[in-house]
């Protein structure tokens, strides 16, 4: 007798981008059968009318073990997250992995080691506009090397947050990631609205290293100002030349980050023609309040760790970007207290399915699921995940194609952490993290060490 | 460490001609000079390299991602090394960090060291001082700016807006900027520009009169040191190069606000008209 069988659901085969009505049996945390047979099970879940898909793999998160962020991720169907993005991560990955394995976490976690905040600070670089010296670069390489040996998924860059980073240190980070055959996700740095050299410099580093480059939250970087299409052209051309380059994006154009970062530097605000009235506090006592100069000054100088959302970009560009065959879904979700944050933390995947599959019909159901599962699993070489096949980990999400919808809103318009509708079951390594639409507060996620 | 000097100014003000001749003058004095241009015409180096072909580095960088700048810097008979960046693909992106990126690569790829460069002269094309245009100054790449203007109102307007941009980019720090007045047609024009410079608190490095030798050398695709090395024009340019070697004391720039500039230009226009009418009257009387 198997542990669980999901009966009569539309089971997605992401390898062929097809689906069929079948039963999925789970035992000891693994998928053991997908067929028309209904194996005897301790629990039978009627999946008729539901899509049965591999659990979603979010390649761009900042969950880093945060409990509430994990809950919100699970509720939108994410069963694996890649943390430590944008150059912000723990540095002692050995200790971090051990700690996470000990305490347990709701979903599976891979973790990057971050350059632009974490390693630079660790080697004593206080000025975000300063280049690392040769000695500091060597010291960062040693940190990265130790983290990669401990099983980090790659090296993340957040160059917007350390705009002074030198080409030599970027090269060094690309080289060490490539040496281990791991990914180099980058939040690119744009000095002007149309700064396509932000892409070229990373393509140059990737070409020299021979490694894999992942362009993070692409729409946040390039939407608006007519830059997205030329930026996509640059990536298209690079791929046509054989470059190993990929991109991820969420379903929003309005990006968020900490008030104290270089992104909200006054000069950057001027360079990018950003307006205070287009910004809204996402965390802290001013959550949901639109900024004016006074509030900007207050947040920037007194509450630099609070997040600000900047209304920006053109929504149609999301669809254009995510339709690219090399584009995969991500959230950019982070650690927020209840009632705070950006709707990406709770609404990204249901919004993707609602808008791009059901309402606009820009992607077929199976192709959309592929962009949330197998494509990210392949990008990060995550074994045993991203596919529904016997022998694979029992990470599953069941959703109602016709009812799935995001309820999370921008914090000045509603609840940013409102859970979605239409995702009644989420299973992580054979354990229900969401059951009947209710979060189960489980800890069946494992750490993914390379 | 090579000193970076950028030449800025309106197209047609003669800044490329001036930069190439001054670069040649510095090379003749024994300095190791690299001249970098970023105009799509590749004309920033044409007087120095003559018929020699040159590949624009940024265009290849965008195509191949990985380039060795040693392959793009060419020696010339003048002794000045030349590098052309090329421009952006028309209508795509912006100059942004094109110049700062290449400048960093000159160091990281060892070009500056291997050529033992004393000066890197940047001849930056463009007339609207947008963020990308001013980035190399704001990011601290340049140590000095020279704005070239002739006597046209348009050229002075551009010089003033570049000054405004430098002032904004440099913030509270005074940045060394000097003016070269090129080809000012008459004494009165030179006086007007001297008056502008005083009010904008910018030092005039040189005032270059029209000279036939310079014009002819340019038409021949050479510098005046190739075609008329013993001319007064060549001597003057050598003296300007000497002045370039002197350190400059940065001043607190006071460019005109736009309205004030327009009003000042109108007054200049009226004075010019009055002068010409008086001259015509004199000629009539003479007749």
């Amino acid at each position: 007798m198997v542990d669980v069988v999901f009966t009569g659901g539309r089971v997605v085969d992401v390898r062929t981008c097809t689906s069929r009505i079948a039963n999925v049996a789970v035992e000891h945390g693994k998928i053991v059968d997908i067929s028309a047979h209904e194996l005897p099970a301790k629990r039978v879940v009627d999946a008729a009318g539901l899509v049965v898909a591999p659990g979603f793999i979010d390649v761009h998160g900042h969950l880093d073990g945060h409990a509430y962020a994990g809950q919100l991720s699970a509720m939108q169907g994410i069963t694996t997250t890649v943390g430590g993005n944008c150059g912000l991560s723990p540095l002692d990955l050995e200790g971090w992995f051990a700690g996470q394995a000990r305490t347990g976490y709701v979903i599976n976690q891979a973790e990057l080691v971050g350059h632009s905040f974490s390693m630079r600070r660790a080697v004593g670089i206080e000025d975000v506009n300063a280049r690392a010296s040769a000695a500091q670069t060597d010291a960062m390489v040693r940190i990265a090397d130790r983290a990669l040996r401990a099983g980090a998924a790659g090296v993340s860059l957040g160059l917007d947050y350390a705009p002074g980073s030198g080409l030599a240190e970027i090269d060094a980070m690309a080289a060490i990631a490539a040496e281990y055959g791991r990914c180099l996700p980058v939040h690119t740095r744009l000095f002007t609205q149309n700064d396509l050299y932000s892409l070229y410099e990373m393509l140059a580093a990737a070409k020299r290293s021979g490694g894999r480059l992942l362009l993070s939250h692409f729409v946040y970087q390039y939407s608006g100002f007519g830059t997205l299409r030329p930026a996509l052209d640059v990536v298209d051309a690079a791929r046509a030349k054989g470059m190993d380059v990929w991109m991820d994006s969420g379903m929003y154009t309005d990006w968020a980050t900490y008030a104290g970062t270089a992104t909200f530097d006054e000069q950057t605000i001027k360079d990018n023609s950003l307006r205070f009235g287009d910004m809204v506090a996402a965390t802290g006592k001013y959550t949901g309040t639109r900024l004016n100069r006074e509030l900007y000054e207050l947040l920037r100088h007194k509450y630099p760790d609070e997040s600000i959302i900047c209304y920006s970009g053109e929504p149609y560009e999301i669809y254009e970007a995510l339709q690219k065959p090399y584009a995969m879904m991500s959230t950019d979700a982070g650690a927020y207290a209840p009632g705070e944050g950006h709707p990406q933390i709770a609404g990204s995947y249901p919004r993707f399915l609602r808008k791009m599959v059901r309402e606009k019909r820009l992607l077929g159901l199976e192709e959309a699921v592929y962009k949330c599962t197998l494509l990210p699993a392949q990008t990060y070489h995550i074994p045993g995940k991203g596919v529904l096949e016997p022998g694979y980990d029992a990470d599953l999400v069941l959703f109602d194609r016709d009812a799935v919808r995001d309820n999370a809103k921008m914090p000045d318009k509603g609840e940013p952490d409102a859970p979605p509708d239409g995702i009644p079951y989420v299973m992580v390594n054979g354990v229900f993290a969401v059951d009947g639409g209710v979060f189960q507060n489980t800890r069946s996620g494992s750490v993914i060490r390379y | 460490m090579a000193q970076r000097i950028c030449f800025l100014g309106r197209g047609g003000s003669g800044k490329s001609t001036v930069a190439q001749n001054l670069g040649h003058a510095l090379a003749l004095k024994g300095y190791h000079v690299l001249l970098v241009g970023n105009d799509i015409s590749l004309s920033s180096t044409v007087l120095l390299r003559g018929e020699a072909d040159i590949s624009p580095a940024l265009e290849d960088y965008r195509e191949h991602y990985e380039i060795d700048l040693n392959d793009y810097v060419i020696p010339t008979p003048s002794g000045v090394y030349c590098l052309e960046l090329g421009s952006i693909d028309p209508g795509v992106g912006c100059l942004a960090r094109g110049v700062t990126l290449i400048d960093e690569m000159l160091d990281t790829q060892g070009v500056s060291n291997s050529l033992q460069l004393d000066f890197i002269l940047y001849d930056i094309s463009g007339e609207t001082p947008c963020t990308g245009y001013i980035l190399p100054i704001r990011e601290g790449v340049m140590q000095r700016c020279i704005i070239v203007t002739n006597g046209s109102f348009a050229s002075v307007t551009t010089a003033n807006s570049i000054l405004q941009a430098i002032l904004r980019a440099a913030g509270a720090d005074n940045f060394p900027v000097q003016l070269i007045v090129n080809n000012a047609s008459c004494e009165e024009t030179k006086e007007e520009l001297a008056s502008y410079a005083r009010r904008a608190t910018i030092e005039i490095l040189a005032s270059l009169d029209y000279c036939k030798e310079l014009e002819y050398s340019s038409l021949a695709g050479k510098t005046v040191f190739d075609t008329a090395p013993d001319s007064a024009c060549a001597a003057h340019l050598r003296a300007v190069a000497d002045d370039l070697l002197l350190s400059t004391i940065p001043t607190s720039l006071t460019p005109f606000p736009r309205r004030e500039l327009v009003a000042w230009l109108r007054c200049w226009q009226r004075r010019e008209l009055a002068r010409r009418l008086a001259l015509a009257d004199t000629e009539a009387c003479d007749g």
Side-chain angles (χ1 to χ4, degrees):
Chain A
M1 180 175 286
V2 299
D3 295 329
V4 182
V5 65
F6 298 94
T7 59
R10 175 162 293 281
V11 180
V12 179
D13 179 348
V14 288
R15 291 196 196 281
T16 57
C17 280
T18 56
S19 60
R20 64 188 169 116
I21 303 297
N23 303 324
V24 178
V26 171
E27 187 175 29
H28 303 314
K30 300 282 182 188
I31 296 164
V32 291
D33 186 56
I34 302 175
S35 68
H37 308 301
E38 188 175 331
L39 295 177
K42 293 173 193 161
R43 181 175 173 192
V44 176
V45 175
D46 180 5
L50 297 176
V51 175
V52 183
F56 301 148
I57 298 173
D58 180 7
V59 293
H60 193 99
H62 298 274
L63 273 56
D64 305 336
H66 187 267
Y68 189 54
Q71 174 180 338
L72 295 177
S73 289
M75 293 189 80
Q76 59 171 314
I78 298 165
T79 55
T80 299
T81 182
V82 180
N85 273 287
C86 297
L88 180 62
S89 78
L91 294 179
D92 172 17
L93 269 287
E94 188 69 50
W96 189 84
F97 280 129
Q100 291 298 306
R102 196 166 48 245
T103 56
Y105 194 58
V106 59
I107 58 175
N108 307 301
Q109 296 184 92
E111 194 74 8
L112 299 152
V113 61
H115 155 267
S116 311
F117 287 101
S118 307
M119 280 192 240
R120 278 172 60 99
R121 276 182 199 156
V123 302
I125 306 171
E126 299 290 331
D127 180 359
V128 297
N129 295 308
R131 274 183 213 168
S133 67
Q136 288 168 326
T137 300
D138 288 346
M140 288 193 282
V141 169
R142 285 194 293 277
I143 294 171
D145 185 64
R146 199 167 53 239
L148 290 162
R149 265 189 282 122
V155 180
S156 75
L157 302 177
L159 297 180
D160 252 351
Y161 302 119
S165 301
L167 298 177
E169 62 187 290
I170 294 171
D171 272 347
M173 294 297 110
I176 188 75
E179 193 180 314
Y180 280 84
R182 314 263 169 89
C183 204
L184 184 76
V186 57
H187 169 154
T188 51
R189 57 177 164 186
L190 282 79
F191 283 73
T192 67
Q193 294 164 349
N194 310 104
D195 187 356
L196 296 177
Y197 287 104
S198 58
L199 291 169
Y200 291 120
E201 70 172 347
M202 289 316 306
L203 291 168
K207 187 169 181 187
R208 279 190 288 272
S209 73
R212 171 165 292 171
L213 178 66
L214 176 61
L215 299 164
S216 299
H217 42 59
F218 199 84
V219 170
Y220 284 157
Q221 298 306 101
Y222 297 100
S223 183
F225 319 115
T227 308
L228 187 99
R229 190 163 291 172
L232 289 174
D233 289 345
V234 171
V235 184
D236 284 346
R239 288 181 56 83
K241 289 170 196 157
M243 294 287 294
D244 188 4
V245 55
W246 305 83
M247 68 128 114
D248 66 76
S249 174
M251 281 300 293
Y252 305 85
T253 56
D254 315 310
W255 46 268
T257 193
Y258 302 116
T261 58
T263 305
F264 283 119
D265 181 273
E266 192 135 2
Q267 185 66 58
T268 311
I269 288 173
K270 274 187 196 162
D271 287 350
N272 293 288
S273 307
L274 306 179
R275 294 178 303 191
F276 296 131
D278 290 337
M279 299 176 196
V280 58
T283 61
K285 62 194 280 197
Y286 298 101
T287 297
T289 311
R290 290 273 183 157
L291 268 61
N292 53 26
R293 172 159 282 284
E294 194 182 354
L295 184 52
Y296 162 76
E297 299 279 358
L298 186 71
L299 292 173
R300 175 117 182 118
H301 301 296
K302 201 167 171 197
Y303 302 105
D305 295 331
E306 299 296 359
S307 286
I308 297 173
I309 294 171
C310 185
Y311 282 103
S312 164
E314 299 289 345
Y316 73 88
E317 292 184 327
I318 296 168
Y319 313 130
E320 191 168 348
L322 276 169
Q323 284 183 90
K324 289 288 180 185
Y326 50 83
M328 63 201 82
M329 260 298 290
S330 67
T331 62
D332 200 12
Y336 297 111
E340 296 186 348
H342 184 295
Q344 66 198 7
I345 58 179
S348 297
Y349 285 82
R351 188 176 179 86
F352 174 64
L353 295 168
R354 172 171 73 86
K355 289 213 166 222
M356 291 197 69
V357 177
R358 188 169 71 235
E359 293 179 358
K360 298 189 182 293
R361 298 172 188 269
L362 294 167
L363 291 171
L365 171 69
E366 295 82 1
E367 190 187 356
V369 170
Y370 160 79
K371 285 176 174 291
C372 304
T373 55
L374 181 57
L375 183 55
Q378 289 173 332
T379 302
Y380 269 101
H381 302 299
I382 301 175
K385 298 195 182 295
V387 180
L388 294 184
E389 278 175 12
Y392 273 71
D393 296 338
D395 293 342
L396 295 96
V397 54
L398 280 73
F399 61 88
D400 182 339
R401 183 190 184 281
D402 299 324
V404 65
R405 67 175 304 113
D406 50 305
N407 295 314
K409 303 274 190 289
M410 288 291 165
D412 57 331
K413 293 175 181 153
E415 295 173 22
D417 55 347
D421 293 332
I423 305 182
Y425 302 103
V426 179
M427 178 174 266
V428 179
N429 294 314
V431 176
F432 284 96
V434 176
D435 192 348
V438 178
F439 180 64
Q440 300 297 302
N441 202 18
T442 46
R443 290 166 186 253
S444 63
S446 45
V447 290
I448 297 168
R449 296 177 71 160
Y450 289 78
Chain B
M1 180 86 172
Q3 188 185 162
R4 271 80 166 166
I5 302 175
C6 66
F7 288 79
L8 306 170
R10 196 174 185 91
S13 63
K15 72 179 178 308
S16 297
T17 305
V18 168
Q20 288 174 92
N21 276 279
L22 288 179
H24 196 172
L26 288 168
L28 290 171
K29 289 174 195 295
Y31 291 99
H32 296 169
V33 181
L34 170 66
L35 180 60
V36 184
N38 77 332
D39 194 81
I40 200 161
S41 66
L42 313 184
S43 59
S44 295
T45 56
V46 71
L47 305 183
L48 298 168
R49 62 184 164 82
E51 300 292 315
D53 208 9
I54 193 163
S55 298
L58 275 176
E59 289 180 20
D60 279 3
Y61 177 73
R62 292 196 298 269
E63 182 64 27
H64 304 295
Y65 315 132
E66 194 185 13
I67 58 168
D68 183 348
L69 282 183
N70 289 289
D71 299 337
Y72 292 82
V73 172
I74 62 164
T76 68
S78 65
V80 178
Y81 294 97
C82 290
L83 171 63
E84 287 282 3
L85 307 185
S87 187
I88 58 168
D89 296 329
V92 183
C94 69
L95 177 64
R97 270 180 313 131
V99 170
T100 54
L101 200 62
I102 290 291
D103 190 81
E104 189 175 348
M105 286 163 68
L106 285 171
D107 283 340
T108 56
Q109 297 189 354
V111 178
S112 304
N113 273 342
S114 67
L115 300 180
Q116 297 179 299
L117 295 176
D118 300 300
F119 290 96
I120 303 178
L121 307 182
Y122 282 94
D123 176 14
I124 306 287
S125 71
E127 294 171 7
T128 308
C130 61
T131 302
Y133 182 89
I134 216 70
L135 263 182
I137 295 165
R138 203 173 85 194
E139 300 294 308
V141 171
M142 304 300 170
Q143 279 96 49
R144 188 194 284 205
C145 274
I146 291 173
I147 302 175
V148 180
T149 182
N150 58 24
S152 75
F153 292 167
S155 181
V156 176
T157 305
T158 298
N160 189 71
S161 74
I162 292 170
L163 269 187
Q164 286 178 320
I166 292 172
L167 181 65
R168 187 165 289 144
D173 305 324
N174 292 338
F175 188 83
V177 192
Q178 292 165 302
L179 201 64
I180 287 183
V181 175
N182 186 38
N183 245 349
S185 54
C186 61
E187 282 309 310
E188 288 82 356
T189 305
K190 274 187 264 180
E191 278 169 26
E192 295 286 358
L193 290 172
S195 149
Y196 168 79
R198 275 194 303 277
R199 291 181 60 178
T201 330
I202 177 171
E203 181 191 352
I204 295 183
L205 174 68
S207 198
L208 303 172
D209 290 339
Y210 166 80
C211 74
K212 194 173 63 181
E213 290 87 350
L214 189 63
E215 186 183 25
Y216 283 21
S217 67
S218 297
L219 288 171
K222 296 178 185 307
T223 70
V224 74
F225 301 104
D226 295 319
T227 57
D230 301 323
S231 63
C233 180
H236 190 186
L237 283 163
R238 271 195 210 94
V240 176
D242 283 335
D243 290 342
L244 205 57
L245 297 172
L246 303 173
S247 61
T248 162
I249 300 163
T251 52
S252 184
L253 301 169
T254 52
F256 290 22
R258 190 176 57 82
R259 280 176 185 279
E260 207 177 302
L261 182 75
V262 171
W264 182 77
L265 287 172
R266 278 208 191 108
C267 288
W268 178 7
Q269 208 168 8
R270 280 199 286 272
R271 286 193 293 273
E272 187 64 26
L273 179 64
R275 272 196 291 269
R276 292 193 190 189
L277 288 173
L279 195 63
D281 283 348
T282 312
E283 281 168 2
C285 292
D286 288 347

